[in-house]
Amino acid sequence: QVQLVESGGGLVQAGGSLRLSCAASGRAFSHYAMGWFRQAPGKEREFVAAISWSGDSTYYADFVKGRFTISRDNAKSTVYLQMNSLKPEDTAVYYCAARWWTTVMNPNEYRYWGQGTQVTVSS
């Protein structure tokens, strides 16, 4: 079992940057693929980025390509989401999630979730 805690959210102006962190506790973090998802008010939760258990493979939603970067440090049991060139439409609660081994983009296939961190981008 894995417990996940996100941090790093906040209020930022359009064009600014934030770095989200997701600290994991529990066993075998390096065996889990990790994903970042977000949910804006009145909208469904959507995929943002994912990274394989080894960190060798990364995947991004089209709307964040070139702006966001996902990375992980297995020694620290932490996954990161560097967000640059933020836009007001990036405003949402951001969640990290863990899935055993295989990297996927469907949120329904992730078993473990953090509580979320709010990101608000002002125009």
Side-chain angles (χ1 to χ4, degrees):
Q1 190 167 355
V2 177
Q3 294 80 44
L4 304 173
V5 178
E6 302 96 335
S7 61
L11 174 64
V12 64
Q13 288 188 332
S17 298
L18 283 174
R19 188 194 195 200
L20 305 184
S21 299
C22 174
S25 60
R27 298 177 60 183
F29 173 77
S30 63
H31 293 177
Y32 287 87
M34 300 297 296
W36 284 98
F37 299 82
R38 70 186 188 185
Q39 188 166 19
K43 295 187 176 181
E44 293 186 352
R45 190 168 299 188
E46 62 181 355
F47 169 76
V48 175
I51 188 167
S52 62
W53 63 270
S54 64
D56 289 346
S57 298
T58 57
Y59 307 86
Y60 297 94
D62 287 344
F63 54 78
V64 303
K65 283 182 180 177
R67 299 190 298 126
F68 292 9
T69 302
I70 188 171
S71 61
R72 67 189 295 162
D73 185 338
N74 284 344
K76 295 182 178 180
S77 297
T78 302
V79 63
Y80 305 97
L81 186 68
Q82 177 66 45
M83 304 188 296
N84 299 329
S85 303
L86 283 161
K87 305 174 181 180
E89 51 264 44
D90 293 320
T91 295
V93 177
Y94 283 71
Y95 299 88
C96 70
R99 186 181 190 277
W100 186 252
W101 280 123
T102 309
T103 314
V104 299
M105 294 179 280
N106 184 344
N108 295 325
E109 299 195 37
Y110 282 78
R111 180 172 183 181
Y112 303 106
W113 290 84
Q115 83 290 348
T117 186
Q118 176 70 47
V119 171
T120 303
V121 184
S122 63
S123 57

